[in-house]
Amino acid sequence: MVPYLAERDEVVTLPYFFGKPKIGDVIVFKHIVPPFIFCKRIKKIINDEIWVEGENKKESIDSRKFGFVKRKNIIGKVIIKL
């Protein structure tokens, strides 16, 4: 599978004002692990915790390394890449 985004790609996001995150969404979120802002795909949702994974499984820093992400840390859903 070809990754949806490459490093340094720019995206436009839309906050989840009316909808809820769902499996398959690509989201931008804050985390305490550097580089602090991540863009990953949602793989699992349990209550207000989101499991995210990158498409490059060998290199990705994602929930397999830092665990679940709190919904409150989501900046928005990627709606378009520039």
Side-chain angles (χ1 to χ4, degrees):
M1 174 191 282
V2 176
Y4 176 64
L5 295 171
E7 191 171 342
R8 305 237 184 252
D9 277 355
E10 294 182 2
V11 298
V12 175
T13 63
L14 185 63
Y16 285 103
F17 287 127
F18 304 107
K20 293 182 179 181
K22 62 183 184 295
I23 294 171
D25 286 354
V26 177
I27 60 170
V28 175
F29 60 95
K30 300 178 283 185
H31 203 277
I32 60 170
V33 175
F36 306 113
I37 301 290
F38 290 89
C39 186
K40 304 290 178 187
R41 190 174 300 276
I42 296 175
K43 294 292 185 172
K44 188 185 315 183
I45 301 171
I46 300 175
N47 298 324
D48 279 344
E49 295 190 322
I50 313 290
W51 184 270
V52 295
E53 292 183 10
E55 293 172 346
N56 183 351
K57 295 193 183 280
K58 291 181 182 177
E59 301 290 326
S60 186
I61 300 171
D62 54 30
S63 289
R64 291 170 290 189
K65 294 191 177 165
F66 54 66
F68 283 90
V69 174
K70 300 281 187 196
R71 182 166 183 225
K72 67 180 182 180
N73 291 331
I74 295 175
I75 295 168
K77 175 183 177 179
V78 173
I79 56 169
I80 192 167
K81 73 176 183 173
L82 304 175

